[in-house]
Amino acid sequence: MYSGPKHRTYAKQHEKHNDKSLPEHPGLPGRIPRRRELTHNHPADHPCSCRPARSTHPRLPCPAYPQLHVCPHLNHPAPSLSNKHSFFDMDLIRDTTSPYPQMLPTASHFASCVAALGITKDDVLVIYDAVDVGIYSSPRVAWMFRFFGHEAVHVLNNFRVYVSQGYPVASGEMRPLPSVSKYPVSPLDSDRVISFEELRELVLAREEEVQIVDSRIAGRFSGEEDEAVAGLSSGHMPRAVNVPLAAMLEDESRTFLPVEKLKEVFERAGVDGRAPLVLTCNSGVTAAALDLALGETGFRNPRRIYDGSWMEWARRVDRPELIVKDVH
């Protein structure tokens, strides 16, 4: 599945969900158990159905996904399994009534959109961003699926590596998949999100047991750089620490760093391995990359994403002390 603000996320599906591990590929690290959320294995390595998903973002360029995507005719050991592709459009699969971008949709809206993409609850999904993006929106799309009860979902690390190592790709427009009659509406996992109101109360109460981790770029976090949205204050929430998305990725390939290097990034930033974490960013997208990377590196403390993130916080706070700038 292909995702990202006009980014691509690719999902592969196993028609029958079981507990076997994903097969090892000799060209990439390790054997990744299916329970892991980040996979270095390639879609071609085991029977699955491929579903690209597209998400859009107002400030990012629109990569030409139709020009390059996972080949829909991979050779699988189980020839009865078909490869299926879908675009996950984050501009559509969101709360379209909210003034803030990328807010979670209702469970029923998510279910109806996913059914229209031809995705079933038994599908095993692998999400990827476009080759020119690396990693950006795919963790958010995967996180959304898990939030709505679809646990068999992974993020490909990443499509750029897949292409560079010579795996099959295709070009041209993808024909839409037939929709399915129904995708089940699941109860929301409220333990994975935090609202503005609750976070504001925690900050005002100076709740020391909770730590806020922000993945925005360093200049906007510190207040040194202006936000891209005119009139929106830069800065950060009180006592937040900064782990920008770029700090978690390799410079050239834009893959996630190896686990040991990710641990070093979090340790240098002062991320607490015991405290409950609130993860935030600009609009709730790259906070999901934080969630994924923390899980992969062994952080077991509770983690919640602040869905509105800075786009909501900076507009709604009613006290000057709720926005901190490290420059004067």
Side-chain angles (χ1 to χ4, degrees), residues 3-49:
S3 80
K6 304 269 183 192
H7 290 50
R8 327 321 177 199
T9 299
Y10 144 86
K12 71 185 164 193
Q13 164 201 354
H14 214 311
E15 300 288 351
K16 294 183 178 179
H17 188 190
N18 56 44
D19 295 328
K20 295 180 180 178
S21 297
L22 296 177
E24 183 177 14
H25 189 277
L28 288 173
R31 184 177 181 85
I32 309 296
R34 180 153 293 158
R35 60 183 174 81
R36 295 291 294 275
E37 295 173 1
L38 183 68
T39 181
H40 302 273
N41 290 300
H42 285 310
D45 291 337
H46 58 96
C48 61
S49 299

Side-chain angles (χ1 to χ4, degrees), residues 173-194:
E173 292 290 343
M174 303 287 300
R175 288 178 295 179
L177 285 177
S179 62
V180 297
S181 59
K182 187 177 182 181
Y183 184 93
V185 177
S186 300
L188 302 184
D189 188 351
S190 59
D191 290 339
R192 302 184 80 147
V193 292
I194 187 170

Side-chain angles (χ1 to χ4, degrees), residues 214-218 242-251 254-258 260-266 268-269 289-290 293:
D214 190 327
S215 64
R216 288 153 60 232
I217 63 174
N242 187 212
V243 182
L245 174 65
M248 297 183 279
L249 304 180
E250 295 278 5
D251 288 339
R254 309 306 290 168
T255 58
F256 278 105
L257 293 168
E260 290 305 317
K261 289 187 177 180
L262 279 174
K263 287 180 179 178
E264 293 174 4
V265 168
F266 293 133
R268 285 197 302 269
L290 270 175

Side-chain angles (χ1 to χ4, degrees), residues 86-316:
S86 304
F87 288 107
F88 190 103
D89 192 332
M90 290 171 64
D91 278 350
L92 299 177
I93 309 176
R94 65 180 181 91
D95 181 358
T96 56
T97 67
S98 173
Y100 311 113
Q102 310 306 336
M103 296 290 279
L104 282 165
T106 63
S108 58
H109 180 56
F110 181 84
S112 64
C113 290
V114 169
L117 292 175
I119 295 173
T120 71
K121 198 62 176 285
D122 292 332
D123 289 350
V124 176
L125 307 177
V126 177
I127 314 298
Y128 68 83
D129 285 286
V131 67
D132 52 346
V133 173
I135 294 285
Y136 189 86
S137 299
S138 50
R140 168 69 179 194
V141 173
W143 179 86
M144 286 177 67
F145 272 100
R146 290 190 293 271
F147 179 80
F148 288 110
H150 195 129
E151 292 297 330
V153 58
H154 309 267
V155 172
L156 182 64
N157 191 28
N158 61 21
F159 186 44
R160 184 178 298 181
V161 173
Y162 175 96
V163 173
S164 69
Q165 295 199 358
Y167 283 87
V169 295
S171 61
E173 292 290 343
M174 303 287 300
R175 288 178 295 179
L177 285 177
S179 62
V180 297
S181 59
K182 187 177 182 181
Y183 184 93
V185 177
S186 300
L188 302 184
D189 188 351
S190 59
D191 290 339
R192 302 184 80 147
V193 292
I194 187 170
S195 68
F196 168 82
E197 291 79 10
E198 183 180 357
L199 182 55
R200 179 183 179 277
E201 291 306 310
L202 287 175
V203 171
L204 288 174
R206 300 185 179 275
E207 180 56 67
E208 299 293 341
E209 294 183 358
V210 175
Q211 185 179 49
I212 300 170
V213 187
D214 190 327
S215 64
R216 288 153 60 232
I217 63 174
R220 291 176 186 167
F221 177 88
S222 68
E224 183 178 359
E225 295 182 24
D226 292 335
E227 291 289 334
V229 178
L232 192 71
S233 175
S234 59
H236 58 84
M237 301 165 196
R239 302 185 305 281
V241 299
N242 187 212
V243 182
L245 174 65
M248 297 183 279
L249 304 180
E250 295 278 5
D251 288 339
E252 293 188 9
S253 67
R254 309 306 290 168
T255 58
F256 278 105
L257 293 168
V259 168
E260 290 305 317
K261 289 187 177 180
L262 279 174
K263 287 180 179 178
E264 293 174 4
V265 168
F266 293 133
E267 288 172 2
R268 285 197 302 269
V271 177
D272 192 328
R274 297 161 298 177
L277 300 179
V278 172
L279 310 179
T280 183
C281 56
N282 184 62
S283 60
V285 175
T286 60
L290 270 175
D291 182 66
L292 177 59
L294 286 164
E296 290 293 314
T297 50
F299 282 78
R300 296 293 175 256
N301 33 339
R303 303 186 302 273
R304 291 193 285 174
I305 286 181
Y306 171 32
D307 203 32
S309 284
W310 194 251
M311 296 291 283
E312 180 181 34
W313 184 265
R315 286 182 171 96
R316 293 189 63 184

